[in-house]
Amino acid sequence: MAIETTEGLAVKAGFFARHTKTLAVLRSLAVSGLLALLTVVVVELITRGSLEQTWIYFTNIEQPAWTTTGVFFLTYLALDALIGRQHKGVLFVAPLVVLMGVISQQKQVFLTDPLYPTDLLFGRQIMELMPVLVQDRPWTAAGLAVAIVVAIVGLVSLWVFAWRRFRPLTRKERLTRLAIALPLIAGFASIMDYNEFSWVRDRLKVFPIMWDQAENYRHNGFVMAFAINLPMANVQAPSGYMVDAIDKIPSKPLPFGTTHRSKPDVIVVMSESLWDPTRIESVKLSQDPMPVIRDSQGGHVFSPEFGGLTANIEFEALTGFSNAFLPTGSIPYQQYIRKPIPSLATFFRAEGYTARAIHPFSGWFWNRSSVYKAFGFETFKDVDKMPPLAKRGNFTSDEALTKEIIRQADLQEDPFFFFTVTLQGHGPYDDGRYTKTDITPEGKLDARDNRMLASYAQGVKEADQSLKMLMDWAKNRDRETIIVVFGDHLPPLNTVYQNSGYMKGITAARKGSTEQMKKEHETPLVIWSNKTGAEKDVGTISPAFLSYYILKEAGFEHPYYTGFLGAVHDKLRVIDRYMLIDAKGNGTPDWARKKTIDPLVRDFRFLQHDIMFGKQYGLERFFNSHAELMSAGY
């Protein structure tokens, strides 16, 4: 028996000796596969925030967890081959995707949406706001700083360990890995364009759900959904777009000699995070924070965003175009405004106005310096081009900014169009923001939520007082002065919404009933003239329709802003990515997925694409003043 045992061991030893290299390769591949699996598990745990949901993602054969793992496996093989040492690729890729997962999870907490590829375009904005976030959550910031240091030390240690212990790959191994991995990765990349159906992608359970990004990330997982969104900067023409389609869009002829009654000055103020906190019924405020706004309010703006992404609301308000026709997650200011685009600024300039943008922050933020120039503003007064303005809390006060608007307006001789974006109302709303608050919330909220709501309400009160200052100044002017004030989105009040029962979560829903969507996306709208008073009964409108109301209030007619956009407004008041609301208040959810689309909406999309991305077939007919400025070399 001893002899037989010895002979058996010898046979086994001989087998292992003969296949040492093969076993080493198999062991290396197994480790790479395990590392790929761990990478996907960690990222999904972070982004989903739930072990149960992560388990479902991996055990549900209808979701592409194993496809994602396979892609990471191939990526690690290719990188190892390029570096020339096994298991080094994971040290490049894993820390990056884990960091992106953390950022995505935090973005969902504050802004509802996960991380999109286009978010990487404004990393500088995030760094600029970091001191404010640190001030709001110092202990979280301290913990994050410690975690970053630990992660860096750990990563360096892993690199040293890997360099000493991970064996180099032979030339044959490197070539073999590249020959297998690169064609498969390239083939997979070729089927990821969501604009084209792919049978292979379908079999791999990767389903681009572009109309519902929350579901897109839930089903496909963070990494795969992020990859699906990479082509979003490539905006394809809507089906049917051609010169004949633009020619068939009816245009309203201008009445001869009655284009306007006068040339009133126009001041538009987009007030940062302006909202009515008294809408929280379970909480009573000790005083109304916005009596002036309430007295003059004519309706609401239906914001397509929540808690941030101000530039998207601004885009609609200035152009009369809609975010609903652009890829989900896109930010026009960052991605698409690369050439002159018609706007209210070009219209007013063609009418002999001075067109000026005013914002007490850096001009690079949201790419405003370049965008305002493309929109036709003659000047942009940012924080560097204005005298020092007093601050309230973390940002320039509404009072100081209003005084600066008045100062600049008093220097104008020609009629002027001012577009102003305020800053005081920007979050976070920490309880130490103001030395004293005049408004006390009473209700079922805890102490922290009460302090946050009181801080926010104080800001609303001061925005209201600033509007009164602006109105009082305008009342003493001989020239008609039109003032338009609206909020860009609801404020990020964190747990206040959930704990008060106003919302189910801490952020607004992207989809829901008409009543719910209005409740979670409406901001106050004031349209007021020192000659005719406040415009009432506006109702709830998309920011894109503000241009229609501004020109109508000023007495102007325009082929697009009052003509085509007016025809759309007569039928629809809200055009959101997930909801249409008609003039009677009836909502149509998921309209973009229906087989037939309202002809007006179709033409709206055609015309917007034509001007922003197409051949501009309709430029001279619908935006004649812009075309004239272009030909004059503006």
Side-chain angles (χ1 to χ4, degrees), residues 305-318:
E305 305 295 348
F306 171 85
L309 296 178
T310 297
N312 283 357
I313 297 88
E314 192 174 323
F315 162 76
E316 291 200 16
L318 284 171

Side-chain angles (χ1 to χ4, degrees), residues 66-196:
W66 297 104
T67 298
T68 307
T69 302
V71 172
F72 272 97
F73 174 66
L74 293 172
T75 302
Y76 289 162
L77 292 186
L79 288 176
D80 290 347
L82 292 172
I83 296 170
R85 193 175 289 265
Q86 63 180 357
H87 313 319
K88 292 292 287 293
V90 66
L91 298 179
F92 282 101
V93 176
L96 177 62
V97 295
V98 168
L99 176 62
M100 291 169 62
V102 171
I103 294 173
S104 181
Q105 189 273 336
Q106 286 298 300
K107 186 189 174 196
Q108 290 181 82
V109 169
F110 290 101
L111 298 176
T112 302
D113 289 331
L115 184 72
Y116 298 123
T118 52
D119 293 332
L120 302 180
L121 297 174
F122 57 95
R124 187 179 174 189
Q125 277 103 306
I126 297 174
M127 297 306 299
E128 185 76 12
L129 291 174
M130 193 62 68
V132 178
L133 299 177
V134 170
Q135 182 179 349
D136 180 50
R137 295 186 173 188
W139 290 110
T140 302
L144 183 60
V146 172
I148 291 173
V149 172
V150 171
I152 292 174
V153 172
L155 189 60
V156 171
S157 300
L158 282 173
W159 268 97
V160 173
F161 175 82
W163 187 257
R164 293 175 176 175
R165 300 294 298 273
F166 295 171
R167 70 174 179 84
L169 297 172
T170 65
R171 180 182 178 84
K172 182 179 179 180
E173 285 179 307
R174 296 176 69 180
L175 292 176
T176 302
R177 291 183 179 216
L178 289 174
I180 295 173
L182 290 183
L184 289 174
I185 292 173
F188 185 80
S190 69
I191 64 173
M192 290 302 289
D193 186 354
Y194 59 79
N195 293 295
E196 302 291 338

Side-chain angles (χ1 to χ4, degrees), residues 266-269 314 318 343-346 348-349 353-359 368 372-373 375-382 385-387 404-421:
V266 178
I267 300 174
V268 178
V269 178
E314 192 174 323
L318 284 171
S343 75
L344 286 176
T346 55
F348 280 113
R349 278 189 65 182
Y353 278 65
T354 294
R356 177 174 297 173
I358 303 171
H359 180 51
R368 281 190 174 103
Y372 286 155
K373 183 177 181 180
F375 281 174
F377 283 100
E378 292 172 280
T379 55
F380 171 31
K381 298 291 187 179
D382 65 0
K385 297 177 182 177
M386 288 188 287
E404 176 61 16
I405 294 171
I406 293 172
R407 185 189 72 81
Q408 293 189 32
D410 285 339
L411 296 174
Q412 303 301 315
E413 294 182 2
D414 295 329
F416 62 83
F417 166 62
F418 284 180
F419 180 80
T420 304
V421 182

Side-chain angles (χ1 to χ4, degrees), residues 464-534:
D464 190 74
Q465 292 171 338
S466 296
L467 175 59
K468 183 179 185 302
M469 180 194 305
L470 193 61
M471 287 179 167
D472 288 344
W473 163 80
K475 289 174 182 176
N476 294 320
R477 305 188 78 222
D478 293 331
R479 182 183 292 169
E480 182 179 6
T481 306
I482 296 171
I483 297 173
V484 177
V485 177
F486 66 98
D488 53 351
H489 51 69
L490 269 69
L493 291 175
N494 209 296
T495 54
V496 170
Y497 294 119
Q498 190 174 42
N499 293 341
S500 67
Y502 190 79
M503 295 180 188
K504 292 181 180 179
I506 62 175
T507 58
R510 292 290 183 186
K511 301 171 70 175
S513 66
T514 305
E515 292 73 21
Q516 179 188 1
M517 295 297 284
K518 284 187 173 183
K519 182 179 182 181
E520 299 182 6
H521 290 271
E522 285 181 338
T523 66
L525 169 62
V526 172
I527 303 173
W528 178 89
S529 166
N530 63 344
K531 302 299 183 183
T532 60

